[in-house]
Amino acid sequence: MKKAFILASLALSSIAFSAQADTVRFGIDGNYPPFAKQGADGKLQGFDVDIAYALCTAMKATCEIVPQDWDGLIPALNANKFDAILSSMSITDERKKAVDFTNKYYNTPSRIIAKAGTAVDQNAFKGKKVGVLRASTQEKFAKDFWGKNGATVVSYGKAPEGFLDLKSGRIDGMFVDSVVGETDFLKSAQGKGFAFVGPEYSESKYFGYGAGIAVKKGNNALRERLNQAIAQIRKDGSYKKVQDKYFNFNVYGN
């Protein structure tokens, strides 16, 4: 009887360990520094990647990063290529039709980058070109705000491609997340002579309610598990440690 009890206890312990020692696969677009980019070793690195590992530590799970181009993230999630999208994806009502989201894990505004001194309003780019990331919240806003007032909206698969065209004069402005624009362009040598122009844009109708982690529709177990992990790393200081590695401000927002 004692032997049977010990064996049963070991079996239960094994089950409990297996439930925790699982693997969570995160799909991340590696063309969005400082949130994600390919390192010298070929692996992805950046804020989103470090947050993924922090969350896995909180969940006592093994973390697997799966590189995936931005416009293929949701299709790949729904094809079970990975378990969740952790790639600076804004929580919007439109995207909620295709995926479920966790609570936000950061929130930053969008800005236009153009030649320093450029005045910006709805008619600022009439007859001109504005670059955006394809399938982004910025793309939809730009088409409604500037596109309907005579601007041509040019969509790119990768933000750096748009920055190259901006520098060369093939487009007149690039509309991006403010952190990406500052880090990947304005602080670089190619950003000389350019600046953020016009106001910050953060209307929830277009830009949602911050960046969240997307899971397949109905996967409430993983969504809630991730929500608990987000709350935990915010509380225990792990989030701030990652944030301070990349930013000198509160990227989580209000």
Side-chain angles (χ1 to χ4, degrees), residues 93-127:
D93 293 334
E94 184 66 26
R95 287 184 179 138
K96 284 181 180 179
K97 297 174 184 177
V99 296
D100 287 338
F101 281 100
T102 64
N103 300 330
K104 73 169 185 177
Y105 69 98
Y106 83 84
N107 192 11
T108 54
S110 296
R111 301 288 304 271
I112 272 280
I113 298 176
K115 288 285 188 181
T118 301
V120 176
D121 59 19
Q122 282 184 297
N123 300 303
F125 295 101
K126 185 175 183 179

Side-chain angles (χ1 to χ4, degrees), residues 24-226:
V24 179
R25 302 168 299 160
F26 289 105
I28 298 180
D29 173 21
N31 301 290
Y32 208 57
F35 296 100
K37 68 176 182 178
Q38 190 175 54
D41 60 359
K43 297 179 180 179
L44 294 189
Q45 60 185 16
F47 177 81
D48 282 345
V49 177
D50 287 358
I51 287 293
Y53 281 109
L55 292 173
C56 284
T57 296
M59 295 185 292
K60 296 181 173 61
T62 299
C63 197
E64 182 179 333
I65 305 300
V66 182
Q68 174 65 55
D69 285 346
W70 173 260
D71 51 4
L73 280 168
I74 290 178
L77 172 67
N78 288 326
N80 297 314
K81 186 174 179 180
F82 36 77
D83 306 302
I85 299 169
L86 202 168
S87 196
S88 297
M89 183 170 282
S90 297
I91 304 166
T92 66
D93 293 334
E94 184 66 26
R95 287 184 179 138
K96 284 181 180 179
K97 297 174 184 177
V99 296
D100 287 338
F101 281 100
T102 64
N103 300 330
K104 73 169 185 177
Y105 69 98
Y106 83 84
N107 192 11
T108 54
S110 296
R111 301 288 304 271
I112 272 280
I113 298 176
K115 288 285 188 181
T118 301
V120 176
D121 59 19
Q122 282 184 297
N123 300 303
F125 295 101
K126 185 175 183 179
K128 299 180 180 180
K129 297 179 179 179
V130 177
V132 294
L133 182 65
R134 185 180 302 119
S136 66
T137 52
Q138 290 86 9
E139 181 183 55
K140 183 171 178 57
F141 180 89
K143 287 181 177 179
D144 283 355
F145 194 70
W146 294 294
K148 291 181 178 179
N149 289 282
T152 298
V153 177
V154 183
S155 301
Y156 296 92
K158 302 174 182 179
E161 295 171 352
F163 293 136
L164 286 174
D165 277 0
L166 179 63
K167 178 66 176 178
S168 66
R170 286 188 286 270
I171 61 175
D172 303 284
M174 186 70 184
F175 188 45
V176 293
D177 180 277
S178 57
V179 175
V180 173
E182 180 176 8
T183 304
D184 201 30
F185 185 72
L186 292 178
K187 285 186 175 180
S188 70
Q190 66 175 340
K192 185 177 181 180
F194 293 88
F196 285 130
V197 295
E200 295 182 348
Y201 298 94
S202 58
E203 290 89 334
S204 60
K205 173 184 175 182
Y206 293 95
F207 302 104
Y209 313 94
I213 303 170
V215 300
K216 289 183 71 173
K217 293 290 288 184
N219 193 351
N220 295 325
L222 179 57
R223 181 173 60 83
E224 286 309 311
R225 190 178 177 196
L226 287 166

